[in-house]
Amino acid sequence: MTTGNLSDEELEKAWKEGSSPAFATLFERYHRRVYGFLLRFTRDAHLAEDLAQRAFLNLYKKPPGGTGRASFKSLLFTVARNEAINELKKRGRRGETDLDSAPEGRDPRPTPAVDVAKREEAARLAAALAELPEVEREVVLLRQVEGLTFREVCEVTGLSRDAVRWRLARGLESLRQALTGTAS
């Protein structure tokens, strides 16, 4: 039986029963997404990698107990978010590097003109995201970029559903305005 075909819940159960390959599969499944979230959140590639490693290491050292709690994905993003917030508070600053170093998907590049247009659009989006207040950027990244459900975003951030909806709407509107050059 290969671990790659198992659900997160099945992998978590196997890992808690002592299967290191099960945790390795969870790591492979989520590392890039957690790193991408942390990179966009902190705006520091090296810090994002350190925080992602810390989040996984903390979970590995101390597996969550019981049932009736958040999904593994929600738990992982919560741990990663908390690591980032604690580290940024400790450093007394917000991220300093550009978002251009964010990992990109494997898009085929049909022509150089299309590639340039995509890069310009990505740079505009990264700049607009960087200008969002942290509380809005966090919710936009978790919901729109990482694809977490509203419930999962609530679990990760500790916010109510209404607060998540409000911050998401406000963040998306700010992004729209920044990208279209309009104001409402």
Side-chain angles (χ1 to χ4, degrees):
M1 174 167 71
T2 63
T3 58
N5 298 329
L6 300 176
S7 70
D8 289 354
E9 291 77 20
E10 292 168 322
L11 288 168
E12 185 178 351
K13 182 177 186 238
W15 157 50
K16 287 179 180 179
E17 292 171 353
S19 171
S20 292
F23 188 81
T25 301
L26 288 167
F27 178 86
E28 290 171 17
R29 194 174 282 178
Y30 287 107
H31 178 263
R32 186 171 173 91
R33 289 180 64 189
V34 169
Y35 168 75
F37 165 70
L38 290 167
L39 176 63
R40 289 174 184 90
F41 188 72
T42 64
R43 298 179 286 170
D44 182 323
H46 297 292
L47 178 59
E49 183 60 38
D50 289 345
L51 294 172
Q53 295 295 331
R54 263 193 253 167
F56 280 100
L57 186 59
N58 287 344
L59 280 177
Y60 187 77
K61 284 185 190 173
K62 188 174 179 189
T67 59
R69 61 150 180 81
S71 66
F72 179 81
K73 179 171 63 172
S74 295
L75 177 67
L76 177 59
F77 276 94
T78 300
V79 171
R81 172 188 179 264
N82 290 341
E83 285 289 333
I85 289 170
N86 291 340
E87 183 65 26
L88 292 174
K89 282 180 184 176
K90 186 169 82 174
R91 292 182 179 205
R93 64 160 179 84
R94 297 295 180 236
E96 297 170 352
T97 60
D98 197 306
L99 291 176
D100 289 339
S101 58
E104 295 180 20
R106 293 184 183 184
D107 291 335
R109 300 177 197 210
T111 66
V114 170
D115 187 40
V116 168
K118 283 183 180 181
R119 287 180 187 264
E120 287 174 356
E121 185 178 321
R124 287 181 55 225
L125 179 58
L129 271 169
E131 292 300 315
L132 287 178
E134 184 178 304
V135 294
E136 292 173 12
R137 183 173 65 244
E138 172 184 45
V139 171
V140 168
L141 290 172
L142 289 170
R143 178 75 176 120
Q144 300 302 118
V145 177
E146 298 306 327
L148 272 65
T149 65
F150 275 102
R151 180 173 166 242
E152 290 170 330
V153 174
C154 292
E155 291 170 353
V156 169
T157 61
L159 297 170
S160 70
R161 188 173 180 91
D162 288 339
V164 168
R165 284 180 187 255
W166 182 83
R167 288 179 182 185
L168 179 63
R170 190 170 167 106
L172 291 175
E173 178 59 22
S174 295
L175 284 176
R176 185 192 65 75
Q177 289 175 9
L179 295 172
T180 62
T182 62
S184 46

